[in-house]
Amino acid sequence: MRKKNTLFTLVAGMFLILGFVLAGCSSSDTNNSKGGGGSSKGKILAAVKDRGKVVVGVNNALPGFGYVNEEGKYEGFDVDFGKALAAAIFDDPDAIEFRPLSADERFTALQSGDIDVLIRNTTWTTSRDTDNGANFGPVTFYDGQGIMVPKKSGIKSLKDLEGARIGVQTGTTTELNLADQFRKLGIKYEPVVFNDADSLVTAYEKGSVDAWTTDKSGLVSRQSTLSDPNEHVILDATLSKEPLGPSVAQGDDQWYDIVTWVTYATMEAEELGINSKNVDDFKGSKDPVVRRLLGAEGGLGKMLGLTDDFAYRVIKHVGNYSEIYNRNLGPDTVFHLERGQNESWTNGGLLYSPPFR
């Protein structure tokens, strides 16, 4: 009898220990779902669907990428990728709310869940991918940091900026890149830090700083807003690599996959020659690559938690990558930015979508 009691005690103890272990695992999973451990699959998509719109953090003061037009509507390259996400989920590119964010505010908004996705000319870096709790999707724009100076200054190179006062926005990679490059070159300068781009550009136009720096695309964008754009030049020197793209908070792999593959759909469509005008003509295609992209076979959309025709919706409502680029930055805009590295890999660029399979 004593042996039976001992055996019972041992078995009960094992179950008790197992219970504590399972409870510990459960607690850990819960913590991960709050803190970014990759265990809250579907949480954000469900919230977005319940809300009836996707909330996108954007810039509202960078013409060409994210700004508010005269009609009070958001427009721009980054804005269109937000619309692509709304189109994929709701078949409606306007099922979206834009939240304007400063450089300092953006990662706090992402971590707190105030926004579903950040699409705001944000550079993908190691620290942002780790300490800032972000997961970056595909690079949508390969950029580099530049410096603008008044044409009358006669400044032609970085060395000509010896002793200059250079304006830069706080909370950005450009602030750090400026310090790195000038230290490497042994150039002494005075950094003048501003909280937002508007204050920085205003100070530059008033002559409070001798030069200012940000991504070259940003310089081109803001040059168009200066009182006399032709009186300013962007130096040839490129201070850094600036791969820009959408990012989401860590902890929801499904949402990360959705943002990633919606973005890739625009690149794949361009590569296949599919655009918003001819996408319906491709619906009867016998090409298996086209059929998988448009959802005729493969069931890829359902794997993401979307409808199988999610890429068709994106292309139909927003267009392929080329259409998005040309509409906001291309030859018919005031910016007239060459595609350069932002060409499809088939044209010698860096844009490349993994297979839709």
Side-chain angles (χ1 to χ4, degrees):
M1 186 67 179
R2 182 176 296 173
K3 288 183 178 179
K4 287 184 177 179
N5 287 339
T6 300
L7 180 61
F8 175 79
T9 302
L10 285 172
V11 172
M14 291 174 64
F15 275 108
L16 184 61
I17 292 171
L18 180 61
F20 280 128
V21 170
L22 291 175
C25 289
S26 177
S27 175
S28 175
D29 286 349
T30 300
N31 289 337
N32 283 343
S33 70
K34 292 177 179 177
S39 62
S40 59
K41 178 181 177 181
K43 185 177 178 181
I44 296 179
L45 178 61
V48 167
K49 286 183 174 178
D50 287 345
R51 192 191 305 132
K53 61 184 177 183
V54 58
V55 181
V56 182
V58 295
N59 199 325
N60 66 344
L62 190 63
F65 285 87
Y67 70 107
V68 181
N69 64 22
E70 294 178 350
E71 298 174 351
K73 296 180 178 179
Y74 279 86
E75 288 186 0
F77 179 81
D78 289 340
V79 167
D80 276 356
F81 279 99
K83 290 182 177 181
L85 194 55
I89 299 169
F90 297 108
D91 200 16
D92 179 2
D94 296 321
I96 192 167
E97 177 182 336
F98 295 107
R99 296 269 177 87
L101 298 169
S102 69
D104 274 344
E105 294 169 337
R106 53 187 163 179
F107 291 110
T108 301
L110 192 65
Q111 293 166 350
S112 65
D114 287 343
I115 57 174
D116 301 313
V117 59
L118 176 67
I119 313 180
R120 184 202 178 280
N121 56 298
T122 298
T123 304
W124 185 358
T125 71
T126 309
S127 58
R128 289 171 173 177
D129 221 3
T130 52
D131 280 358
N132 285 355
N135 278 338
F136 281 80
V139 174
T140 53
F141 194 94
Y142 288 92
D143 208 345
Q145 183 176 341
I147 294 181
M148 180 185 290
V149 298
K151 189 178 291 183
K152 64 182 181 183
S153 70
I155 295 172
K156 304 290 186 185
S157 69
L158 297 182
K159 290 186 176 179
D160 293 337
L161 288 165
E162 176 73 35
R165 290 166 52 84
I166 303 177
V168 63
Q169 194 175 343
T170 188
T172 63
T173 55
T174 55
E175 184 181 6
L176 305 175
N177 296 331
L178 180 66
D180 285 350
Q181 289 298 320
F182 277 48
R183 187 177 72 174
K184 183 176 74 174
L185 296 172
I187 301 171
K188 294 181 180 178
Y189 73 105
E190 180 183 348
V192 183
V193 178
F194 295 85
N195 289 326
D196 59 80
D198 286 341
S199 302
L200 169 54
V201 174
T202 298
Y204 170 74
E205 280 216 279
K206 288 182 176 178
S208 301
V209 296
D210 303 306
W212 74 286
T213 181
T214 189
D215 298 343
K216 283 191 170 180
S217 61
L219 292 175
V220 171
S221 168
R222 293 306 297 248
Q223 186 174 10
S224 69
T225 68
L226 299 179
S227 56
D228 188 352
N230 294 324
E231 290 301 313
H232 306 272
V233 295
I234 299 171
L235 301 183
D236 291 336
T238 299
L239 277 64
S240 66
K241 295 182 291 186
E242 303 293 333
L244 312 179
S247 59
V248 299
Q250 295 176 0
D252 190 332
D253 290 348
Q254 183 194 39
W255 183 244
Y256 171 76
D257 286 342
I258 289 171
V259 172
T260 294
W261 286 99
V262 165
T263 305
Y264 278 138
T266 67
M267 301 176 188
E268 181 80 346
E270 180 185 8
E271 182 179 333
L272 295 172
I274 306 172
N275 59 45
S276 60
K277 303 292 190 301
N278 66 17
V279 64
D280 287 316
D281 298 335
F282 280 86
K283 292 184 76 172
S285 172
K286 297 187 182 304
D287 182 341
V289 176
V290 172
R291 290 178 62 80
R292 284 194 294 270
L293 175 65
L294 300 183
E297 62 181 71
L300 303 181
K302 288 187 176 62
M303 295 179 191
L304 291 167
L306 304 175
T307 59
D308 283 338
D309 66 344
F310 78 97
Y312 168 83
R313 294 176 172 187
V314 170
I315 300 163
K316 183 69 177 178
H317 290 297
V318 185
N320 66 25
Y321 182 93
S322 177
E323 290 178 283
I324 294 171
Y325 189 98
N326 288 337
R327 182 163 58 238
N328 296 292
L329 305 169
D332 295 330
T333 69
V334 295
F335 314 110
H336 203 296
L337 281 178
E338 298 290 337
R339 288 279 296 266
Q341 295 173 321
N342 296 299
E343 279 281 6
S344 170
W345 70 283
T346 56
N347 291 325
L350 297 177
L351 296 187
Y352 183 103
S353 170
F356 276 71
R357 178 180 291 279

